């Protein structure tokens, strides 16, 4: 595995592979890697000859009250995981390499960024789409792989790639969960043991909504209510939102009359967790 | 000359040339072509094997009170001019081809877009940078050529290309003027004969500022004052702004202590005209 910090080095390594006829898959991350990230790397390997991973804790996608400074940065451990996973290139730039002095460009993707997390994290998706566009420009991948846990992020990136005509396939990967159902997240390490136990109620609520959908319930309020009920039963959890939306446009669906995304954000103590499930009428939870 | 309306056709024609080893220069325009545009095409030919020109009256760069609907669209005449000029590809898409249903992405380039025209044309530069990014994605040029009359636009595009790592050279081309000094513009055709005569005062003011700079004056207020004086002497003209700025950052320069851009916007009747000159201390007006 080659590890580089300079954008120019990442660019020339990737350009070399492309020029040699290799296909290239890219997995952008903020590090603090877990099994979810490693599943993206496996999908990347399945799709392309070469795999590039970036680790960049992107300051532009954190709000002023958020956890940018304390976000975990275990670079040595991450690097070992990626090397073991057969990654070809690790691009781990310092902030000034991506956003140098004088950087002035912001990419906003209005539609899919506006609901769900949007109002609670002003500027977050602008930060995500801007950094991804910069990273795509450096790496020039044929395929980029994003986890479905951040379903809204995936929808925003898909929209941007389509709108700007970036020649790249965007692949969404299934959520990887702990044995008890909690979605893997770098932020799970913030949870104390009591929060960690209660946090399983999020997935339990999504499963309950899935059962309702499987048994014919199509009313969004009732499906969302299953998540509300599961979360509100736990004193350490606080629901920020739960909503049934179109999986691409991220617009509200009052009725589950086609595939819908049931997405939720929940505070466990001070830690904000997100999770979601794809629901199909009469079938319940399905995978991407 | 190949003429296409579909982005996919433009994309595949350009991809074919690149794959064959040809270099490709791109001149984005809104049509209503004049000698200024044709000078860009000549520069494009000098730089690359193939030349692509787009004609697209971009709705996103017009304000609600501006002249989008009445902007001239003499496509047949434009097409003949480009064919005579040896252009390889004319890409003339309908609006829905560039901004299809559901398009949601906006690119904002904060720094250089903020002064000069920025406050008077809210959203204008977002529209310019967004459409250019989309067009660059379709055409994939090695070089793009922009006229220096729209100096702020050029600075915005340069900044965006640098920030997003778009692999392309941005070339600025000297302003082309009428015999009496008026900068060529598609909007000159809006002028009645009295306005057309008075409009020459804009360039005369810039030349006067150049003479002052050549004779050692470096005070921005005095240099700007030359334009103000020339314009205010004409009853049909109304100055919107005149300012000395850094040619890249577009930030105000109180003193001409290095190369500076003296930029102005002037209404002639209801027609808004822009013009500028690059000034050097002790030398006066210079070209890009």
């Amino acid at each position: 595995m080659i590890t580089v910090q300079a954008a120019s080095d990442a660019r020339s390594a990737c350009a070399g592979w492309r020029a040699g006829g290799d296909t290239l898959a890219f997995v952008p991350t903020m590090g603090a890697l877990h099994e979810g990230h490693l599943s993206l790397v496996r999908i990347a390997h399945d799709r392309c000859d070469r795999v590039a991973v970036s680790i960049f804790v992107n300051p532009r996608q954190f709000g002023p009250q958020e956890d940018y400074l304390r976000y975990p940065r275990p670079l040595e451990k991450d690097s070992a995981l990626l090397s073991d996973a057969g990654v070809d290139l690790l691009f781990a730039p310092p902030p000034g390499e991506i956003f140098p002095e004088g950087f002035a460009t912001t990419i906003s993707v209005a539609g899919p960024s506006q609901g769900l997390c949007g109002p609670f994290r002003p500027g977050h998706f602008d930060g995500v789409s801007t950094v991804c566009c910069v990273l795509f420009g450096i790496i020039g991948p044929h395929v980029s792989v994003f986890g479905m846990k951040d379903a809204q992020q995936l929808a925003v990136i898909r929209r941007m790639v389509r709108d700007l005509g970036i020649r790249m396939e965007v692949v969404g990967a299934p959520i990887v969960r702990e044995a008890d159902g909690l979605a893997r997240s770098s932020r799970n390490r913030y949870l104390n043991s009591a929060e960690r136990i209660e946090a399983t109620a999020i997935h339990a609520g999504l499963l309950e909504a899935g059962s309702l959908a499987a048994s014919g319930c199509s009313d969004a309020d009732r499906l969302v209510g299953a998540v509300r009920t599961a979360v509100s039963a736990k004193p350490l959890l606080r629901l920020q939102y739960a909503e049934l939306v179109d999986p691409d446009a991220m617009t509200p669906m009052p009725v589950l009359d086609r595939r819908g995304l049931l997405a939720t954000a929940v505070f466990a103590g001070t830690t904000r967790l997100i999770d979601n499930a794809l629901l199909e009428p009469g079938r319940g939870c399905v995978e991407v």
Side-chain angles (χ1 to χ4, degrees), chain A residues 164-288:
Chain A
L164 299 183
I166 299 173
R167 272 158 276 193
M168 184 184 78
E169 185 187 350
V170 178
V171 172
I175 298 174
V176 176
R177 299 183 180 280
E178 302 287 353
D180 61 8
L182 179 67
R184 300 264 184 155
S185 165
S186 305
R187 290 185 172 104
N188 289 351
R189 68 189 72 190
Y190 297 157
L191 302 173
N192 66 32
S193 56
E195 291 162 353
R196 173 66 189 76
I197 291 166
E198 291 199 355
T200 59
I202 305 167
H203 184 236
L206 291 168
L207 286 182
E208 174 59 23
S211 300
L212 286 172
S215 64
C217 170
S218 65
D219 178 59
D221 287 344
R222 282 191 61 207
L223 297 168
V224 165
V227 175
R228 288 188 183 278
T229 302
V231 168
S232 64
K234 303 294 175 187
L236 301 177
L237 302 187
R238 181 172 62 79
L239 189 90
Q240 187 175 62
Y241 69 75
E243 199 167 352
L244 183 70
V245 296
D246 178 277
D248 297 316
M250 297 281 131
T251 45
M253 285 172 62
V255 176
L256 187 72
D257 51 3
R258 59 191 192 280
R259 184 179 278 209
L261 181 84
L262 180 52
T264 185
V266 174
F267 278 95
T270 57
T271 303
R272 187 174 179 280
L273 302 172
I274 55 173
D275 201 349
N276 66 76
L278 280 169
L279 303 184
E280 281 189 8
R283 261 190 80 197
C285 294
V286 294
E287 290 225 323
V288 270

Side-chain angles (χ1 to χ4, degrees), chain A residues 28-262:
Chain A
T29 83
M30 299 208 302
L33 303 177
H34 51 66
E35 187 50 37
H37 298 103
L38 298 178
S39 78
L40 307 183
V41 170
R42 285 191 292 272
I43 291 168
H45 272 304
D46 288 347
R47 300 295 302 262
C48 288
D49 303 317
R50 299 283 185 171
V51 175
V53 175
S54 63
I55 293 183
F56 181 62
V57 184
N58 169 26
R60 296 192 172 225
Q61 70 186 73
F62 289 82
Q65 308 305 322
E66 293 182 355
D67 54 343
Y68 174 66
L69 290 175
R70 72 162 180 151
Y71 198 86
R73 290 166 171 84
L75 187 58
E76 211 166 312
K77 190 181 158 213
D78 287 347
S79 175
L81 287 170
L82 295 174
S83 177
D84 290 351
V87 164
D88 296 281
L89 174 75
L90 166 56
F91 177 42
E97 190 68 18
I98 301 295
F99 300 122
E101 177 88 18
F103 189 99
T105 301
T106 299
I107 301 183
S108 304
V109 182
S113 75
Q114 284 170 333
L116 304 182
C117 293
F120 298 104
R121 304 190 71 187
H124 169 69
F125 289 113
D126 287 3
V128 168
S129 41
T130 304
V131 79
C132 282
C133 189
V134 172
L135 290 170
F136 295 158
I138 293 166
I139 304 293
H142 299 87
V143 168
S144 288
V145 189
F146 288 83
M148 266 297 290
K149 181 171 74 70
D150 297 279
Q152 192 175 11
Q153 168 179 275
L154 176 63
V156 167
I157 297 299
R158 277 195 204 282
R159 184 77 248 176
M160 176 184 76
V161 164
R162 196 170 150 190
D163 286 353
L164 299 183
I166 299 173
R167 272 158 276 193
M168 184 184 78
E169 185 187 350
V170 178
V171 172
I175 298 174
V176 176
R177 299 183 180 280
E178 302 287 353
D180 61 8
L182 179 67
R184 300 264 184 155
S185 165
S186 305
R187 290 185 172 104
N188 289 351
R189 68 189 72 190
Y190 297 157
L191 302 173
N192 66 32
S193 56
E195 291 162 353
R196 173 66 189 76
I197 291 166
E198 291 199 355
T200 59
I202 305 167
H203 184 236
L206 291 168
L207 286 182
E208 174 59 23
S211 300
L212 286 172
S215 64
C217 170
S218 65
D219 178 59
D221 287 344
R222 282 191 61 207
L223 297 168
V224 165
V227 175
R228 288 188 183 278
T229 302
V231 168
S232 64
K234 303 294 175 187
L236 301 177
L237 302 187
R238 181 172 62 79
L239 189 90
Q240 187 175 62
Y241 69 75
E243 199 167 352
L244 183 70
V245 296
D246 178 277
D248 297 316
M250 297 281 131
T251 45
M253 285 172 62
V255 176
L256 187 72
D257 51 3
R258 59 191 192 280
R259 184 179 278 209
L261 181 84
L262 180 52

